[in-house]
Amino acid sequence: MFNVGRECGMYCWTSCTLIPNTISGNIFDDRNKNAIKDSAEANFVSAGTVPGEASLGPTDTPEQHYAAGMKLVEARDYRKALDAFERAKALNPDFAPAYEGIGLAQLALGDLAAAEAAMKTAKGKDDKYVPAYVGLGRVLTAKGDTRGALREYGFAVELDPKNPMSYFYRGLTHLVTYDFRRAEADFAQ
């Protein structure tokens, strides 16, 4: 018999143990329910919630909190966004997007030192995570360090030449330096 918990993850654990009669023939007796629950919980825990705080359920993941934080950033509710990113970080201290989000919220709140520190931490957690380079470029532009910002955007473009945000924000930095030719070239990408 295949291990339903491993094959179907948390959804199967929920449908098979909480609503057992949904499976035709009800092949799941009490012994199998515990095995399914244990393997589904193991899969859930391995999905990025270790070594941080324990997750409170299937939607309490770093990815979910990051996504919620980004929506709050779009809505310009930076304090709540910061809370969401902090929860993502608490669930998984190695989750680079959480630090990027913290950096974006801090940038919007005007705390450039905290934003820069968060973006550098994001790069340290995952040196191939392009949004951390773009975010650091944005922070450095805001601090007036356009040379440093352009360097970060260059790294981002090297890592992922098809990422439009690298070109967009590099173009904005070129506008700040009155280099309209390069800005136009970046915006054309």
Side-chain angles (χ1 to χ4, degrees), residues 44 54-60 87 91:
F44 180 70
S55 174
L56 300 175
T59 61
D60 188 30
R87 178 63 182 159
L91 287 168

Side-chain angles (χ1 to χ4, degrees), residues 4-5 13 16-17 28 32-41:
V4 176
W13 172 77
C16 298
T17 60
F28 300 104
N32 290 338
K33 285 180 189 175
N34 288 333
I36 292 166
K37 180 181 175 187
D38 292 343
S39 65
E41 286 176 350

Side-chain angles (χ1 to χ4, degrees), residues 161-183:
K162 295 183 180 182
N163 185 318
M165 298 312 286
S166 303
Y167 296 102
F168 176 76
Y169 285 106
R170 187 170 70 178
L172 290 179
T173 301
H174 284 307
L175 286 178
V176 169
T177 63
Y178 301 105
D179 190 342
F180 301 115
R181 185 183 53 76
R182 285 191 174 134

Side-chain angles (χ1 to χ4, degrees), residues 73 85 100 123 136 147 187:
V73 165
F85 297 132
E100 175 228 351
K123 283 177 50 179
L136 183 55
R147 181 175 292 163
F187 292 142

Side-chain angles (χ1 to χ4, degrees), residues 69-89:
M70 291 306 283
K71 287 185 183 209
L72 289 164
V73 165
E74 288 176 18
R76 298 179 187 218
D77 193 345
Y78 305 117
R79 297 266 179 222
K80 285 184 183 176
L82 196 53
D83 291 340
F85 297 132
E86 289 289 347
R87 178 63 182 159
K89 180 179 87 171

